[in-house]
Amino acid sequence: MTENQNLESLQTPGAVFFIFGATGDLARRKLFPAIYSLYREGKLAEDFAVIGVARRPRTHEEFRDDLYRSIQEFCRYKVKEDDLETWTKFAEHFSYKSLDIHNIDGYHELRDLTESVEDRFNIPGNRLFYLALAPELFGSVSFNLKKGGMLASEGWHRLVIEKPFGYDLSSAQKLNEELSQVFKEEEIFRIDHYLGKEMVQNIEVIRFGNSFFEPLWNNKHIANVQITLSETVGVEERGGYYDHAGALRDMGQNHMLQMLTMIAMEAPSRLYPEDIRDEKVKVLRSLRPYESEEDVKAHVVRGQYKSGESHGKEMLGYRQEDKVDPDSNTETYFAAKVFVDNFRWAGVPFYIRTGKRLPVKTTEVVVEFKQMPTNVYLGQKHNLEPNLLVIRVNPMEGIYIKINAKKPGSESKIEPFAMEFCQSCQVGINSPEAYERLIYDAANGDSTYFTRWDEVAAAWSFVDRIASAWAKNPSDIQMYPAGSWGPEQADELLALDGFHWWPVNGQEEDNVIWIKQ
Ligand SMILES: NC(=O)C1=CN([C@@H]2O[C@H](COP(=O)(O)OP(=O)(O)OC[C@H]3O[C@@H](n4cnc5c(N)ncnc54)[C@H](OP(=O)(O)O)[C@@H]3O)[C@@H](O)[C@H]2O)C=CC1
Ligand SMILES: O=C1O[C@H](COP(=O)(O)O)[C@@H](O)[C@H](O)[C@H]1O
């Protein structure tokens, strides 16, 4: 991948895409729809094939029926009556192999199938292995891919691997060692789907493409940064996985810290993937580690939802959810005050929070600027609200800035105005989904928005200290009602510093005058 390659104009190179875990939830809800969207937008070369792999028996036809249902349910492009010819052409590129990933003989049959589709679609030998499997299977599959003769002998091969990447630093190291016996680092694409989100990528452009932000982007002018990833859903069908992981591992180690790196990183001198990833890892290594259990207690709040009312419906508590231990102390919420100890950010708190069963689904970054050195309007009894830059990541996409201005027509009244650029209102459903972008990038060998091993390791080092402090006191967890904003202790984290969480998506402040496009 070269700098500034114009990805918009490129098609993926001809390749076979293997989806291990093709009968699973991720494949159905995200991966198949992403591949279809790429196809519909002409971003997938004609010389492609997809081979689904899982244990369940399926004929190729049955697999294509699953594919059809997945697209009709989850894809932003639906197959309409008059698209049937295009659909049939697309679906012909899909085949299925029933295989237990531990059974080496199966890989030999998979190789035969692969060679036959490569011949049929004239594919130049490139192979992309996407592991949509439980993480404990990642090492075995990669080893067996090599043993079973599945690595490409003519073109390239790449491994796309889902999160979570390990359970802690030591298991992540073990996994990485297993993978690196088969794949080189540049062949491993570790997914963090937040990095595929349009507005997370836009953080880079907002910061490095606008001269009026850069001079202010530091501890002289920024009072604090708030990152919220709130969800209204509970654990749904994933109780078995989630009860073992919790919010810190499920969202904190990856999505939240990755977003923090995008806000805090220095500008790379060039836009090569490694230059960007070098800057991100420096941020992760600058995170101030919590030194003791007391330190963790003072800076991190954990919570678990109990029953409550959300959007007019009675919700079960976490402990009553399917496949969750009824005495579970797993956190479904956490908030933390984090410091990035470098020249740019010294002394600026980053408050991060995520939780399930909160009142709104939103991902938002609020950058709160410091107050004016003195308020010259105090004599007129005007408080000045702090200026904010708010980046809305999802479901609404856009940015707004909050400034103080004179109320038009009034003598002296000053009011906060929010000026909004609502990207989702403009491009709406055409905004590509994260998985589309990431599959496309992986096929093009662009690793910019995938996490490199040293980033993963640095993130685990930071998170492990929290997890091990919590493990010593498992029942020290705050319960919050489903549908609330989580434990009050999370508000106190900010109140102690004289701040508060700014309202997020859909919960706009009453006194602000909105100027929307
Ligand atoms: N679902 C989601 O929204 C998200 C998922 N992820 C990650 O994606 C990965 C997959 O998750 P998800 O799709 O939800 O999981 P599912 O349990 O729904 O699917 C697992 C898949 O693995 C297959 N499988 C299991 N054991 C074997 C085996 N021994 N040999 C071959 N295939 C096997 C299953 O098929 P069969 O039973 O037919 O063998 C199934 O297709 C996980 O790492 C998860 O953490 C990450 C983010 C979001
Ligand atoms: O990775 C995960 O992300 C989802 C939230 O993703 P979003 O794109 O809908 O914001 C979360 O629900 C899930 O628990 C986690 O594994």
Side-chain angles (χ1 to χ4, degrees):
M1 171 54 47
T2 56
E3 188 184 23
N4 297 333
Q5 201 165 347
N6 181 3
L7 290 176
E8 307 312 323
S9 63
L10 282 182
Q11 280 196 325
T12 54
V16 182
F17 297 78
F18 296 86
I19 307 227
F20 285 81
T23 55
D25 181 67
L26 184 72
R28 191 169 67 90
R29 286 195 305 114
K30 299 287 183 189
L31 306 184
F32 299 147
I35 294 171
Y36 186 59
S37 297
L38 290 172
Y39 182 79
R40 286 284 297 261
E41 295 197 340
K43 290 183 176 163
L44 210 55
E46 279 300 321
D47 48 351
F48 83 98
V50 176
I51 301 184
V53 180
R55 287 168 304 184
R56 258 164 268 189
R58 290 270 189 286
T59 62
H60 300 312
E61 272 319 310
E62 284 166 342
F63 180 52
R64 288 170 197 153
D65 291 343
D66 291 346
L67 177 70
Y68 180 82
R69 280 190 290 273
S70 132
I71 278 139
Q72 296 303 67
E73 193 172 355
F74 298 107
C75 188
R76 61 200 173 91
Y77 293 104
K78 308 288 175 209
V79 184
K80 305 213 180 83
E81 289 280 300
D82 51 0
D83 293 331
L84 282 177
E85 205 179 312
T86 317
W87 167 257
T88 312
K89 220 169 132 224
F90 170 76
E92 273 174 1
H93 291 253
F94 283 69
S95 0
Y96 182 80
K97 173 78 190 112
S98 166
L99 161 85
D100 185 323
I101 59 106
H102 302 294
N103 169 17
I104 196 68
D105 293 336
Y107 289 81
H108 298 137
E109 292 161 24
L110 181 60
R111 195 182 54 201
D112 294 342
L113 173 63
T114 306
E115 285 168 1
S116 87
V117 298
E118 282 174 345
D119 278 353
R120 178 169 171 210
F121 295 106
N122 209 12
I123 297 172
N126 301 323
R127 296 178 185 180
L128 186 139
F129 304 105
Y130 196 121
L131 305 191
L133 294 167
E136 54 274 19
L137 302 178
F138 294 163
S140 310
V141 182
S142 96
F143 182 73
N144 284 344
L145 283 171
K146 183 172 181 187
K147 198 167 164 203
M150 281 299 300
L151 300 184
S153 52
E154 286 170 27
W156 48 254
H157 47 249
R158 297 187 186 127
L159 185 72
V160 181
I161 192 159
E162 262 299 336
K163 67 166 262 271
F165 196 90
Y167 180 75
D168 52 17
L169 180 58
S170 104
S171 57
Q173 274 165 335
K174 183 168 172 285
L175 171 59
N176 202 51
E177 275 155 28
E178 285 170 7
L179 298 183
S180 53
Q181 286 170 22
V182 181
F183 295 94
K184 299 189 202 106
E185 173 63 29
E186 60 270 26
E187 292 168 342
I188 304 175
F189 288 70
R190 296 178 195 81
I191 288 259
D192 183 314
H193 79 273
Y194 267 63
L195 291 178
K197 289 185 190 278
E198 192 66 25
M199 285 306 295
V200 173
Q201 299 188 358
N202 207 352
I203 293 174
E204 190 189 298
V205 183
I206 290 163
R207 287 195 50 203
F208 306 136
N210 291 297
S211 58
F212 56 72
F213 291 131
E214 174 49 30
L216 304 180
W217 210 258
N218 55 50
N219 55 7
K220 290 189 190 60
H221 300 284
I222 290 179
N224 71 79
V225 177
Q226 304 179 11
I227 304 178
T228 299
L229 275 70
S230 70
E231 297 190 272
T232 48
V233 291
V235 287
E236 315 300 295
E237 304 81 36
R238 297 173 74 216
Y241 149 76
Y242 194 88
D243 206 29
H244 187 58
L248 179 68
R249 292 185 173 90
D250 186 49
M251 300 285 270
Q253 187 272 346
N254 34 71
H255 310 324
M256 300 201 79
L257 291 183
Q258 283 296 323
M259 284 184 57
L260 190 152
T261 63
M262 300 292 285
I263 294 291
M265 70 192 247
E266 296 299 315
S269 47
R270 304 169 309 174
L271 287 180
Y272 285 103
E274 296 321 318
D275 295 305
I276 295 176
R277 302 200 299 178
D278 285 348
E279 294 306 335
K280 284 169 61 206
V281 78
K282 283 187 212 162
V283 174
L284 292 164
R285 289 186 184 142
S286 307
L287 294 177
R288 184 186 302 170
Y290 302 116
E291 295 295 349
S292 60
E293 276 173 59
E294 289 69 44
D295 207 12
V296 169
K297 203 168 166 52
H299 292 97
V300 192
V301 174
R302 61 176 149 159
Q304 187 190 81
Y305 62 84
K306 54 184 184 183
S307 58
E309 197 186 297
S310 177
H311 299 273
K313 276 196 194 148
E314 269 308 309
M315 295 294 168
L316 292 177
Y318 175 70
R319 290 178 186 172
Q320 286 84 54
E321 300 274 19
D322 194 26
K323 299 199 195 116
V324 168
D325 177 350
D327 298 319
S328 174
N329 286 315
T330 297
E331 79 289 353
T332 58
Y333 175 100
F334 86 94
K337 175 162 132 182
V338 176
F339 286 99
V340 179
D341 280 341
N342 60 19
F343 272 26
R344 185 185 284 272
W345 295 110
V348 180
F350 284 71
Y351 303 106
I352 61 177
R353 61 175 170 173
T354 185
K356 296 215 183 263
R357 286 271 185 260
L358 301 186
V360 287
K361 164 74 181 165
T362 195
T363 301
E364 226 168 90
V365 181
V366 179
V367 180
E368 177 176 335
F369 290 86
K370 289 189 172 170
Q371 293 280 11
M372 297 298 286
T374 179
N375 179 0
V376 295
Y377 301 102
L378 210 53
Q380 297 170 4
K381 299 206 170 18
H382 286 309
N383 284 326
L384 294 177
E385 294 259 336
N387 293 141
L388 304 181
L389 166 68
V390 180
I391 302 172
R392 287 177 156 167
V393 172
N394 86 356
M396 284 177 72
E397 298 179 354
I399 59 171
Y400 71 84
I401 51 172
K402 198 172 95 176
I403 58 166
N404 293 301
K406 183 172 165 296
K407 188 177 179 186
S410 75
E411 283 298 302
S412 64
K413 197 161 163 37
I414 296 175
E415 283 179 321
F417 284 78
M419 294 196 287
E420 185 184 32
F421 161 58
C422 175
Q423 180 160 292
S424 48
C425 309
Q426 291 216 335
V427 288
I429 56 158
N430 287 322
S431 179
E433 287 239 14
Y435 278 93
E436 274 169 62
R437 173 77 194 228
L438 294 173
I439 290 173
Y440 178 79
D441 284 355
N444 279 305
D446 182 352
S447 54
T448 310
Y449 296 111
F450 294 83
T451 47
R452 203 169 61 188
W453 163 243
D454 50 358
E455 291 181 74
V456 175
W460 276 125
S461 297
F462 179 75
V463 158
D464 274 1
R465 286 176 185 245
I466 307 175
S468 62
W470 284 354
K472 291 193 183 126
N473 258 315
S475 57
D476 184 15
I477 186 163
Q478 317 300 324
M479 306 305 283
Y480 62 95
S484 74
W485 270 110
E488 286 167 4
Q489 285 81 348
D491 298 342
E492 285 161 25
L493 269 186
L494 284 77
L496 283 172
D497 301 331
F499 301 126
H500 59 82
W501 294 105
W502 289 99
V504 288
N505 226 0
Q507 311 243 315
E508 289 146 8
E509 300 159 274
D510 295 340
N511 65 333
V512 177
I513 299 177
W514 283 82
I515 303 169
K516 304 189 184 222
Q517 308 151 297

